[in-house]
Amino acid sequence: MSYNQYPPNYSSPQPGYPPHDQSQGYGQQQHGYPPPAPQYGDAPAGFGPPQRVNSYGPPQHGGFQHGQAGGQYGSYDASNPQGQSGYYGGQAPPQGQPGYDPYPQQQPQYGQPPQQQQQQPYYDPNNPQHQQQQGYPPQDPNAPYDPNAPEGERGLGGAIAGGLAGRYAGNRRSLIMAVIMVATTAQAMAEVNGVAAVGVGNAMEVFVRNLPEQTTEKQAKAIFRPVLANLDVNYFHCHKPRGKGFAKLTISEDDIRKGERFLDLHGQVKPGREGFSGVKRKIFHMNRPINCSLSNTRPDEYILRSLDRERAERRLVPHGARSNASALGVNKLRRRYNFSLLQCGQMDYAGSNLAFADHFNDLRTGHMTFTRRFILIDLHPMDPSEPVKQMELPYSSIESVLIGKSINPHVTFLLAEAPKFFEKTPDDASSLLTNFATLRLQHTQSKQPQPNRRRITALTPSHQLIVSTCLCYRFQIHSSDLQAIQALKRLPTMPRIIQWDILQTSQPSIALQMTQLNTLLAATADKTLSFEVKFQVQKLVMNGYLPPYKTLKLVQLIKKTLPNVDQTTLAAAVRRLTYQIPFPDPGTEASELLPRTLCKLVADNYEMVVREKTYSVDVAEQYEQLISIHKASVTPAGIYLYGPEPEMKNRILRKYAAFSSYFLQVTFSDEDGEAMRYDRTASLKDIYHHRFKKVLESNITVAGRPYEFLGFSHSSLREQTCFFMAPFVWNGEIRHSRAVIKDLGDFSAIRSPAKCAARIGQAFSQAFSAVDIPPSAFQRLPEVERIDSRGIKRTFSDGVGTCSKPILERIWAAYGQSRAYKPTVCQIRYAEPWDNLCYYFLRLAVYAPTIKDIVLILLDPTGAKGMISLDERLTGDVLCLRPSMIKFEAHPTQIEICGAGFKTLPMYLNRQLIKILEDLGVPAQAFMDLQAEAVEQLRYTTENPINAGYYLQRNLIGKAARLPWLVRKLSYIGLSFSDDSFLRDTLELAVLIQLRELKYRSRIFVERGFLAYGIMDETDFLEEGQIFCSVRNQKTGLVLTGRVIITRCPALHPGDVQYVEAVDVPQYSPLRAVHNCVVFSSKGIRDLPSQLSGGDLDGDLYNIIFDDSLMPTKLAEPADYPTAPPIDIRREVERSDITDFFVNFMENDQLGRIATLHQTIADQRPQGVFDPDCILLAELHSTAVDFSKTGIPVDLSKIPKSSNVRPDFQAPGPRVLIQNSITMQPQSGLTVDDEDEEDEGEALDSVPATKYYESFKVLGQLYRAIDEQKFFEEIQRWSKASNQLEHTSLADKVWAYVHSKTALIQYEHYLRFARDVKEAYEDNMVDTMMEHSAHPTHFVSEVEVFVGALLGKEGAQTKRQREFSSGMKDKHDRDVAYTVQCILQGEDEDSSKEEALERSIACLYVAVHEVRTRPRFGRLVSFTWVAAAICLKEVEKFIGA
């Protein structure tokens, strides 16, 4: 009898009781241990995949499951496997006879041995803990099992004990042995669990039955919150699986007596209706009886620890904060409001009055809910069977909220970015879909929950036309709700709320406006405006700065007012409008947004740019390796334009440098500018496969120029970025994207889209420079390969070649003479020309063993990549490549330099590596000491100006502006940099960013370690297990010797860390000439790089650690994953195949998710990284890394299950804001007492909120050792203490000092020069602030630009923030360097350098005395300190002279 059938005495479903949960019991796919993996080989004891015979696992071929003898299975239920016959060695009841009721609530007290249960003829189909009493499954030696099933109060030791008793049953002498083994096993399990066993104690778990399957976890918690609160139980955990009719409540040991009281009042002893009738105080939900009983499973230890952490954090909140919250009424604010009309449009003006112009009306009623993080809008469908449309408005995206009390009361949200839109399946349909998904999951063995809502691009098709440009949403509400909504301004996260009556106005339709504007911009006959100008004009519209009709008028005025002007200058003038146009709100006058006002701004900008051109230069012209590229961002709602911005050239951009405006760098992201993330609450398939795919298959039209997909590099693929291009005329013919790709080489033989994209992507890899190499220099080297005992070919020379010194000298020359030290290893890209084949025939005849080999070589002109190293034995111009470096057939032209070993890089630990080292026996104190030293160095930094200056210098902060020197100089003349808020913020931000890297990434510097490129020993000197490392810099040299650790990131498998012997080589060895790299041996059975996270030698970096405190006490065998062949489509790859792969990669890239889950499981399991699930995750991570090359995504069904409880070191940090100063918001704010209120936004689709427990492992200790709030308060107290009584600004003091030393110096004739230099610097600053933000209408702070790093607002920087920071720092350093050059050298070559002092004094005077406040940006102050550093240096020279 199946679970969907009822027993004879219950021939039909009973009211209020759903059918038995089919997801539990026989016939279901069980998850837990991964299948045996062949890659482990002969693993040592205690390591490798779990053994399936006579071990914990399914009973196969004589094995037993948790002590269950083969053939004795009974009935199995995943939710209640304890206490029934047939479990853990017990005998199954005869078929046809009912079992006994296993409910543990009949025990006298939780934790005591169970009493004998009475047999119950009653069968409850709702009871997921009740066993199927009839039709026992056949005795199948391969019966499925559930390794995740809870173990009951006996624990795993009890399970083993029962199994041993069953195994030795029938043999009385063996029974004594069983008892002895039980005792030994219990003791062993206690030792294995160690700390993990702490804290469970007498905590309680309550099993809840008969909940509606559609009930979310948040709703289930809301049912029991008031009931438990009446018993003074304020901390409990509720787990409600999606689509199930049961839940579990966890109550901590501190509340155990109150929990027992709860069961006494609301629990039932007997199952079913008979038992419920005996409950003292019954609980109902939606007219259904809710059954509560004591669970027979132990509470999850980590849930209990999360409750302890929550209780401890609540105690840390000052009582006054709670009182203030109550006094303000924050906890009693109403959060949900109905509306009768939704409108979307733009803010405009009717005469001089602010007005709303609607372009979309939705007559559906709905409600808005103010959650903690966003406003959730629900639109009720006209037909209840239709989906519910939802909008999310994050508070961070809202500029202001306007409340109007006119005839139709309304609330209007003025947004900086488009909302997120969703379509939610109605509850009844959701139930059907959930049941269908359950059946489908059983078939596909997938474990992924199916969300009941999906992300969409707009509310309706008509809304889609305006959603990206109309960012004002207006809701008609009831007049009685106005005051309540206005009271929400007391919430700390709420944007400003303004009471303002807004008029209604009208505009032509957006579609008509856009058609008129596009027609004007696309007109090819009109040569008055260049494409560069049109791009900036279209940016104003597409990014929502101006409505199309105003932009159209503005263009007409520009053409009339500024005819026959330089188009490059005009483009720069129009570009500045993006940060000059005010936001239309009650604080903006209508006249500020009139087209004639904006046209005057453009004219003023034009004059300013003309003057600034004397003091600034296009970086793409100044730096040969850079080029200006236009950019676009594609989001679910729209397309937004950026740039142009300088980018490093690649092979294509270097070839077509004169046509750079025909290339568009396109990034696919979410509305907030961050990458699209995996969302448990909603399906993103429509976004990926319809929205993004449509853009990739069609084109992006800008100013009449259609850009179509071109390609992407390996690194840009992970950044979800690619290149588009528009056709242009080149050498007399039209150049389309397909022709550009064809010129790169012949890819027709490649049958894998991922592999083909990777080969094409080599041309998109950024390269510092390109070097001409004589075609005669090319030679081929054979691979160094061996076959191991398993028949697998091992390539020791994978991706590495050699070169002669003359070739390196060419590379050194291309890098320029500013480099003090010359690299001897380089990472290259190479393309071999066609026109030297005859020459190759003669030259290669010496190396090729047969004529066939020669022909094959000649017919394979190559595109290559990898490392080259100096071989002093080669003479003349020689470049030797190996077959593993050859990637595809190609035609031209140069060798491109992607990287070089100028020096070794600093080595930093990370969380994955720390966890592996911990589990390999490195004591926790070693990591604690390293972190404490790093924190202490940060603390020293803030103690005095000298330390601060050296810290800034060491970390290259403000180097171009001479900031480190300035800080020390101020101290020498009796002044302190901490007297100025901007300089103070600069140091605080720099220190805070590093502190957050320590706390939230465990990025700990290892002084006795370094990071370097890997190459192979071409001399055959090194033996297996040996390396050679020669480290050199400008001052010292070091040859590493002795036993060291070597690894490579990312490292997840315990075998990714290995010992090697570092040795010296003879003085005559050619290896003596190679430095700042790791030389690996070419001997042995398996190459070492492949043992370190699957590394090779084509440019991988390796970590070398020679710190004795970090040496492991044991090692693990390295992983050996089988190489997955790329997906073969059995035909030539087309462009649509590559775009399909790009979309598939965006959707299925699981690297971050797997790494995070690996951290969680490694922290929770006793075996740590050796746990089978961690070993599986390491393999899945390897698959995810190779996804970009193979096209094979991670099988999501293989990802192990994990609870929603995470270690505390994964929790977000307090939010840091940068406004007038740097402030850190406490993690528990005024709304602390509001945490338990129902928050509909967090209850979406039953996704539970993440809880965090206190981790006792080393990562938890490191995390808690840094008190971020306390440290930040300490440095702020120190930096502010010195200027509490000061009224004169530091800038005034510096000016007074300079003036006193240079009283007779005349500088007034340079004031105009100084104003122009200052204006140019600040314009560049504003441009950087805008272009390096995640969203076009947001901007980063001036202090972040000056420091060169974006602050992670709730922890460490995200990967995208780190990428943005790098580009931002490079640009600002270039801008500052050029500003310094202008001040020192003057306007032109004829200017006198001897008057640098006069120019610097003039610049300092203008900076201090002529203050300018910019709309939206306020006063910019960093130029003051750029000028001060130059001026003080010149004064120093003057005094010394």
Side-chain angles (χ1 to χ4, degrees):
M1 183 179 68
S2 70
Y3 279 129
N4 285 335
Q5 295 176 303
Y6 288 86
N9 55 330
Y10 279 84
S11 58
S12 61
Q14 303 303 306
Y17 291 89
H20 192 98
D21 181 5
Q22 187 175 348
S23 68
Q24 304 180 25
Y26 275 97
Q28 310 305 313
Q29 173 66 25
Q30 307 298 330
H31 307 286
Y33 297 111
Q39 68 269 20
Y40 295 106
D42 297 322
F47 181 75
Q51 304 299 315
R52 310 307 287 266
V53 179
N54 290 335
S55 66
Y56 311 124
Q60 295 175 341
H61 307 292
F64 60 95
Q65 176 184 339
H66 296 308
Q68 184 175 2
Q72 295 176 335
Y73 299 99
S75 54
Y76 195 93
D77 188 305
S79 68
N80 186 16
Q82 295 84 26
Q84 300 112 12
S85 299
Y87 271 175
Y88 308 128
Q91 298 291 331
Q95 190 158 358
Q97 293 185 14
Y100 62 86
D101 186 357
Y103 290 106
Q105 61 265 32
Q106 296 184 16
Q107 301 170 11
Q109 184 177 350
Y110 185 80
Q112 295 182 1
Q115 298 176 355
Q116 179 64 39
Q117 308 290 327
Q118 295 180 356
Q119 294 185 358
Q120 300 287 339
Y122 175 84
Y123 177 83
D124 184 3
N126 304 292
N127 185 356
Q129 289 189 312
H130 201 103
Q131 290 298 314
Q132 184 176 349
Q133 303 299 332
Q134 299 183 21
Y136 285 93
Q139 296 180 352
D140 180 5
N142 293 305
Y145 74 107
D146 186 354
N148 295 318
E151 300 299 336
E153 56 253 28
R154 290 174 298 179
L156 185 55
I160 298 173
L164 292 171
R167 185 167 180 82
Y168 290 101
N171 187 331
R172 301 188 65 176
R173 288 183 302 171
S174 298
L175 182 59
I176 301 175
M177 182 176 293
V179 173
I180 296 173
M181 293 182 67
V182 168
T184 305
T185 301
Q187 180 180 358
M189 290 307 302
E191 293 174 355
V192 168
N193 283 295
V195 177
V198 175
V200 175
N202 289 324
M204 173 185 291
E205 184 173 275
V206 177
F207 198 88
V208 180
R209 298 185 284 283
N210 205 35
L211 287 169
E213 294 180 356
Q214 296 81 7
T215 302
T216 67
E217 183 167 292
K218 201 78 174 184
Q219 292 167 344
K221 187 173 183 179
I223 295 171
F224 292 98
R225 185 184 296 114
V227 179
L228 290 169
N230 288 335
L231 299 172
D232 198 26
V233 177
N234 298 311
Y235 301 94
F236 69 97
H237 177 79
C238 176
H239 172 60
K240 164 64 173 67
R242 173 183 292 173
K244 307 296 182 183
F246 64 91
K248 294 181 180 180
L249 305 178
T250 303
I251 299 173
S252 67
E253 186 174 2
D254 290 347
D255 293 323
I256 187 69
R257 296 300 177 192
K258 302 168 188 174
E260 292 172 352
R261 176 62 176 160
F262 168 82
L263 285 177
D264 180 60
L265 293 174
H266 307 288
Q268 65 181 83
V269 177
K270 297 180 179 180
R273 286 193 230 161
E274 180 183 353
F276 188 72
S277 63
V279 174
K280 296 178 182 177
R281 296 183 184 177
K282 299 176 176 60
I283 300 176
F284 291 86
H285 176 61
M286 299 179 66
N287 295 323
R288 297 181 66 151
I290 305 302
N291 312 125
C292 302
S293 59
L294 184 64
S295 174
N296 62 344
T297 60
R298 299 187 73 183
D300 186 289
E301 173 209 347
Y302 297 99
I303 290 177
L304 294 175
R305 279 158 60 178
S306 73
L307 292 175
D308 292 341
R309 183 175 185 266
E310 183 180 350
R311 189 190 303 270
E313 286 184 345
R314 182 68 66 93
R315 290 182 184 136
L316 292 176
V317 178
H319 181 72
R322 304 182 201 180
S323 301
N324 291 338
S326 300
L328 291 173
V330 170
N331 302 328
K332 305 301 181 183
L333 292 176
R334 192 165 134 232
R335 303 295 185 91
R336 180 164 167 166
Y337 303 89
N338 296 326
F339 62 83
S340 56
L341 175 66
L342 179 153
Q343 295 176 300
C344 177
Q346 296 177 329
M347 298 307 297
D348 205 346
Y349 292 88
S352 60
N353 297 315
L354 188 65
F356 175 77
D358 67 288
H359 292 282
F360 170 76
N361 289 271
D362 197 317
L363 300 178
R364 289 175 289 186
T365 61
H367 63 269
M368 64 181 73
T369 306
F370 291 80
T371 75
R372 296 187 185 93
R373 295 177 291 112
F374 53 81
I375 302 172
L376 178 67
I377 310 295
D378 281 86
L379 280 167
H380 305 153
M382 301 291 188
D383 183 347
S385 64
E386 293 179 354
V388 175
K389 297 294 178 67
Q390 292 183 322
M391 296 168 52
E392 286 183 10
L393 279 59
Y395 293 131
S396 59
S397 71
I398 302 175
E399 292 284 344
S400 55
V401 181
L402 306 182
I403 295 178
K405 295 184 178 181
S406 57
I407 300 176
N408 295 317
H410 56 266
V411 56
T412 305
F413 300 100
L414 310 185
L415 307 181
E417 65 192 43
K420 296 179 181 179
F421 301 96
F422 302 89
E423 186 175 87
K424 183 177 180 180
T425 308
D427 287 343
D428 54 348
S430 172
S431 177
L432 293 174
L433 287 177
T434 300
N435 291 334
F436 175 76
T438 301
L439 295 174
R440 185 169 179 268
L441 288 177
Q442 295 169 12
H443 176 69
T444 62
Q445 300 183 359
S446 170
K447 296 186 288 187
Q448 297 302 308
Q450 301 298 309
N452 66 340
R453 61 175 198 160
R454 62 188 181 97
R455 183 85 176 266
I456 56 178
T457 57
L459 297 175
T460 66
S462 60
H463 185 227
Q464 181 70 68
L465 301 175
I466 65 163
V467 67
S468 64
T469 56
C470 293
L471 300 179
C472 299
Y473 286 83
R474 183 172 180 173
F475 299 86
Q476 187 170 313
I477 60 176
H478 196 276
S479 58
S480 61
D481 292 336
L482 289 174
Q483 187 174 358
I485 292 179
Q486 194 165 6
L488 292 172
K489 65 184 179 182
R490 286 177 281 181
L491 293 174
T493 56
M494 181 62 60
R496 60 174 181 165
I497 298 179
I498 305 172
Q499 184 175 324
W500 197 272
D501 284 326
I502 306 174
L503 302 179
Q504 190 89 10
T505 189
S506 61
Q507 291 179 359
S509 72
I510 291 291
L512 177 60
Q513 294 183 51
M514 289 300 299
T515 299
Q516 294 173 342
L517 179 64
N518 290 335
T519 301
L520 176 65
L521 296 179
T524 55
D526 185 2
K527 304 296 183 181
T528 56
L529 297 179
S530 67
F531 170 79
E532 286 74 15
V533 175
K534 294 177 180 178
F535 181 92
Q536 300 302 328
V537 169
Q538 189 147 353
K539 184 202 292 187
L540 295 175
V541 176
M542 294 181 68
N543 293 13
Y545 294 110
L546 285 177
Y549 84 94
K550 280 190 177 180
T551 308
L552 187 63
K553 293 179 181 178
L554 175 61
V555 172
Q556 294 168 344
L557 285 173
I558 290 174
K559 293 170 68 176
K560 183 178 180 180
T561 307
L562 298 169
N564 305 319
V565 296
D566 179 72
Q567 293 295 293
T568 303
T569 306
L570 181 58
V574 176
R575 179 177 183 172
R576 295 188 179 186
L577 281 181
T578 57
Y579 52 81
Q580 293 174 324
I581 296 174
F583 203 88
D585 62 16
T588 302
E589 296 292 336
S591 59
E592 298 179 60
L593 286 166
L594 291 175
R596 64 174 180 269
T597 305
L598 299 177
C599 184
K600 185 178 185 307
L601 273 178
V602 174
D604 294 343
N605 291 343
Y606 186 90
E607 293 181 7
M608 182 58 67
V609 174
V610 170
R611 292 203 304 271
E612 289 175 3
K613 279 192 173 182
T614 309
Y615 320 110
S616 62
V617 67
D618 189 335
V619 292
E621 298 175 6
Q622 185 180 10
Y623 299 91
E624 188 276 335
Q625 71 271 21
L626 298 179
I627 192 169
S628 292
I629 292 295
H630 294 79
K631 300 182 179 183
S633 175
V634 179
T635 74
I639 298 176
Y640 306 96
L641 303 180
Y642 299 84
E645 286 298 316
E647 288 286 334
M648 191 80 76
K649 288 180 180 177
N650 56 44
R651 190 182 309 169
I652 292 176
L653 295 179
R654 187 172 288 109
K655 179 177 181 178
Y656 300 109
F659 300 90
S660 61
S661 68
Y662 288 85
F663 293 89
L664 188 69
Q665 191 181 77
V666 180
T667 299
F668 292 81
S669 67
D670 211 337
E671 303 302 340
D672 59 1
E674 291 291 332
M676 294 290 295
R677 306 178 188 91
Y678 168 74
D679 189 350
R680 293 179 298 171
T681 74
S683 168
L684 301 178
K685 286 191 175 294
D686 283 6
I687 303 301
Y688 288 120
H689 295 282
H690 292 91
R691 168 64 178 161
F692 289 171
K693 179 62 175 174
K694 182 179 179 181
V695 173
L696 289 164
E697 288 183 336
S698 55
N699 57 59
I700 298 174
T701 301
V702 181
R705 184 177 288 182
Y707 291 86
E708 61 181 2
F709 174 80
L710 181 62
F712 48 85
S713 68
H714 180 265
S715 59
S716 68
L717 172 63
R718 296 202 177 278
E719 298 166 7
Q720 301 185 0
T721 299
C722 59
F723 273 97
F724 280 46
M725 69 162 284
F728 55 88
V729 178
W730 189 73
N731 289 344
E733 63 179 22
I734 298 179
R735 212 68 168 164
H736 292 277
S737 61
R738 286 178 172 82
V740 170
I741 298 299
K742 185 177 180 181
D743 279 354
L744 296 177
D746 184 4
F747 306 96
S748 60
I750 301 175
R751 294 294 185 260
S752 166
K755 187 175 181 180
C756 185
R759 299 295 177 257
I760 295 173
Q762 291 182 34
F764 294 95
S765 296
Q766 294 181 343
F768 182 84
S769 60
V771 181
D772 292 319
I773 300 294
S776 59
F778 172 77
Q779 292 185 11
R780 303 268 181 140
L781 283 179
E783 296 285 6
V784 178
E785 298 175 335
R786 291 185 185 84
I787 305 298
D788 67 10
S789 59
R790 297 164 56 195
I792 300 175
K793 183 173 69 175
R794 306 293 187 179
T795 304
F796 288 71
S797 56
D798 190 2
V800 65
T802 61
C803 68
S804 62
K805 189 171 183 179
I807 292 292
L808 274 183
E809 288 173 342
R810 292 173 180 266
I811 295 173
W812 296 341
Y815 266 102
Q817 299 304 314
S818 61
R819 303 278 185 172
Y821 212 79
K822 310 301 183 185
T824 56
V825 294
C826 298
Q827 187 181 24
I828 65 164
R829 300 287 187 271
Y830 178 78
E832 174 189 338
W834 275 92
D835 53 0
N836 294 283
L837 300 185
C838 294
Y839 179 83
Y840 286 160
F841 187 91
L842 297 176
R843 188 171 181 86
L844 296 175
V846 178
Y847 300 96
T850 66
I851 295 296
K852 177 182 177 182
D853 292 329
I854 296 176
V855 173
L856 288 176
I857 291 174
L858 296 182
L859 293 180
D860 182 26
T862 59
K865 59 167 284 194
M867 293 293 297
I868 57 173
S869 63
L870 172 63
D871 188 342
E872 288 191 327
R873 297 172 296 181
L874 301 174
T875 59
D877 288 326
V878 180
L879 175 64
C880 299
L881 305 182
R882 286 189 165 90
S884 59
M885 304 174 71
I886 310 304
K887 303 302 179 181
F888 60 91
E889 297 180 9
H891 310 306
T893 57
Q894 300 170 309
I895 182 174
E896 295 175 332
I897 311 303
C898 302
F902 287 102
K903 61 180 181 179
T904 58
L905 300 174
M907 193 266 158
Y908 290 91
L909 297 172
N910 57 41
R911 284 181 170 173
Q912 281 84 9
L913 184 53
I914 289 173
K915 184 56 185 166
I916 290 175
L917 291 174
E918 179 191 26
D919 291 344
L920 292 178
V922 176
Q925 193 59 43
F927 306 107
M928 298 293 288
D929 291 344
L930 286 175
Q931 179 175 274
E933 182 180 352
V935 173
E936 198 62 25
Q937 287 181 357
L938 290 179
R939 186 171 281 109
Y940 287 154
T941 294
T942 62
E943 287 186 350
N944 60 67
I946 305 302
N947 290 351
Y950 284 118
Y951 169 80
L952 296 172
Q953 180 177 337
R954 186 171 62 251
N955 290 279
L956 303 178
I957 296 171
K959 180 181 178 181
R962 304 180 178 179
L963 180 62
W965 180 87
L966 174 64
V967 169
R968 294 194 295 269
K969 179 64 178 180
L970 289 174
S971 177
Y972 294 150
I973 63 176
L975 301 175
S976 174
F977 78 95
S978 62
D979 290 347
D980 179 76
S981 61
F982 180 80
L983 293 180
R984 193 167 60 237
D985 286 347
T986 298
L987 181 65
E988 288 176 3
L989 179 64
V991 170
L992 183 59
I993 287 174
Q994 284 212 4
L995 186 72
R996 290 197 146 199
E997 290 290 294
L998 284 170
K999 184 174 179 69
Y1000 298 103
R1001 292 180 64 203
S1002 299
R1003 191 170 185 266
I1004 304 173
F1005 174 65
V1006 179
E1007 185 175 7
R1008 296 179 61 79
F1010 57 80
L1011 183 68
Y1013 287 112
I1015 61 172
M1016 188 191 73
D1017 174 18
E1018 302 284 349
T1019 69
D1020 284 341
F1021 175 82
L1022 299 176
E1023 298 296 332
E1024 182 179 9
Q1026 292 183 340
I1027 62 169
F1028 172 71
C1029 269
S1030 175
V1031 180
R1032 297 185 192 176
N1033 56 36
Q1034 299 179 29
K1035 299 179 180 179
T1036 61
L1038 167 69
V1039 174
L1040 196 63
T1041 58
R1043 192 170 72 157
V1044 300
I1045 302 171
I1046 188 166
T1047 184
R1048 173 180 168 270
C1049 292
L1052 275 76
H1053 192 281
D1056 290 338
V1057 174
Q1058 294 294 322
Y1059 273 126
V1060 288
E1061 188 73 18
V1063 300
D1064 199 354
V1065 296
Q1067 290 294 331
Y1068 59 81
S1069 172
L1071 294 181
R1072 280 282 176 180
V1074 179
H1075 50 259
N1076 295 337
C1077 62
V1078 182
V1079 184
F1080 291 95
S1081 171
S1082 60
K1083 300 178 181 179
I1085 299 300
R1086 181 182 176 189
D1087 59 303
L1088 182 57
S1090 70
Q1091 301 177 46
L1092 308 173
S1093 298
D1096 54 34
L1097 300 178
D1098 69 353
D1100 287 356
L1101 293 164
Y1102 294 87
N1103 291 300
I1104 305 294
I1105 304 175
F1106 44 99
D1107 188 325
D1108 291 339
S1109 68
L1110 297 177
M1111 295 296 163
T1113 60
K1114 62 179 179 180
L1115 289 180
E1117 287 294 322
D1120 191 7
Y1121 306 125
T1123 302
I1127 291 177
D1128 189 344
I1129 61 175
R1130 301 184 182 278
R1131 58 172 173 79
E1132 187 173 338
V1133 176
E1134 300 175 354
R1135 189 175 70 174
S1136 61
D1137 298 318
I1138 295 179
T1139 57
D1140 281 339
F1141 166 67
F1142 188 82
V1143 171
N1144 189 30
F1145 187 89
M1146 284 194 291
E1147 182 181 21
N1148 294 294
D1149 183 17
Q1150 302 289 325
L1151 264 178
R1153 180 184 173 194
I1154 291 172
T1156 301
L1157 182 58
H1158 182 275
Q1159 282 184 21
T1160 303
I1161 293 179
D1163 187 78
Q1164 294 178 356
R1165 307 284 175 84
Q1167 291 178 276
V1169 295
F1170 288 91
D1171 185 87
D1173 279 345
C1174 285
I1175 299 297
L1176 171 61
L1177 284 169
E1179 182 175 2
L1180 296 179
H1181 192 272
S1182 176
T1183 302
V1185 169
D1186 293 339
F1187 182 16
S1188 59
K1189 304 172 186 176
T1190 64
I1192 301 174
V1194 170
D1195 184 351
L1196 299 183
S1197 68
K1198 292 184 178 180
I1199 296 180
K1201 285 183 178 180
S1202 177
S1203 66
N1204 204 42
V1205 182
R1206 295 182 180 180
D1208 53 356
F1209 58 80
Q1210 292 182 346
R1215 185 172 179 81
V1216 175
L1217 303 178
I1218 303 177
Q1219 294 174 344
N1220 297 326
S1221 63
I1222 302 176
T1223 58
M1224 182 178 294
Q1225 295 181 337
Q1227 288 178 277
S1228 296
L1230 288 180
T1231 58
V1232 64
D1233 292 331
D1234 185 47
E1235 290 178 358
D1236 289 333
E1237 291 187 6
E1238 175 69 20
D1239 188 335
E1240 185 170 347
E1242 295 180 1
L1244 289 173
D1245 302 300
S1246 71
V1247 175
T1250 302
K1251 289 184 175 292
Y1252 300 95
Y1253 62 86
E1254 190 173 288
S1255 169
F1256 299 146
K1257 305 291 178 63
V1258 65
L1259 289 176
Q1261 296 175 47
L1262 291 169
Y1263 173 80
R1264 291 187 299 277
I1266 297 178
D1267 189 333
E1268 183 182 13
Q1269 187 85 34
K1270 181 179 179 181
F1271 186 96
F1272 188 67
E1273 290 172 354
E1274 286 178 358
I1275 63 174
Q1276 286 198 323
R1277 276 197 301 270
W1278 170 84
S1279 60
K1280 293 178 181 179
S1282 60
N1283 67 334
Q1284 289 180 349
L1285 302 177
E1286 294 288 341
H1287 300 289
T1288 304
S1289 71
L1290 179 62
D1292 288 331
K1293 293 178 183 178
V1294 172
W1295 170 253
Y1297 171 83
V1298 169
H1299 188 66
S1300 68
K1301 301 296 183 182
T1302 61
L1304 300 179
I1305 302 296
Q1306 299 297 313
Y1307 62 87
E1308 289 79 3
H1309 58 293
Y1310 278 114
L1311 288 178
R1312 175 66 181 271
F1313 164 89
R1315 293 185 186 102
D1316 289 344
V1317 171
K1318 177 175 181 285
E1319 188 73 18
Y1321 172 88
E1322 291 186 348
D1323 283 338
N1324 284 328
M1325 171 63 73
V1326 167
D1327 191 58
T1328 305
M1329 293 165 68
M1330 291 293 296
E1331 292 295 338
H1332 289 85
S1333 66
H1335 194 271
T1337 58
H1338 298 163
F1339 56 87
V1340 300
S1341 66
E1342 183 183 15
V1343 68
E1344 287 175 291
V1345 175
F1346 199 67
V1347 170
L1350 299 173
L1351 178 67
K1353 297 300 187 291
E1354 294 183 349
Q1357 292 175 315
T1358 64
K1359 182 180 179 181
R1360 180 160 291 195
Q1361 283 178 323
R1362 291 195 293 273
E1363 293 162 355
F1364 272 45
S1365 295
S1366 177
M1368 181 180 72
K1369 179 175 174 56
D1370 289 344
K1371 180 182 183 302
H1372 181 64
D1373 285 349
R1374 291 192 298 264
D1375 293 340
V1376 172
Y1378 196 78
T1379 300
V1380 172
Q1381 180 183 341
C1382 286
I1383 297 174
L1384 294 178
Q1385 299 181 3
E1387 301 181 40
D1388 50 52
E1389 296 179 357
D1390 298 330
S1391 300
S1392 173
K1393 295 183 180 180
E1394 295 179 358
E1395 292 193 343
L1397 175 61
E1398 289 84 347
R1399 287 189 292 270
S1400 66
I1401 295 174
C1403 288
L1404 181 61
Y1405 176 86
V1406 169
V1408 174
H1409 296 96
E1410 298 184 6
V1411 178
R1412 177 188 175 189
T1413 301
R1414 292 172 177 257
R1416 297 178 63 192
F1417 298 92
R1419 181 189 175 191
L1420 301 179
V1421 298
S1422 59
F1423 179 77
T1424 301
W1425 302 112
V1426 175
I1430 301 171
C1431 189
L1432 288 173
K1433 189 68 174 178
E1434 294 302 312
V1435 169
E1436 185 180 81
K1437 294 177 184 178
F1438 175 72
I1439 296 174

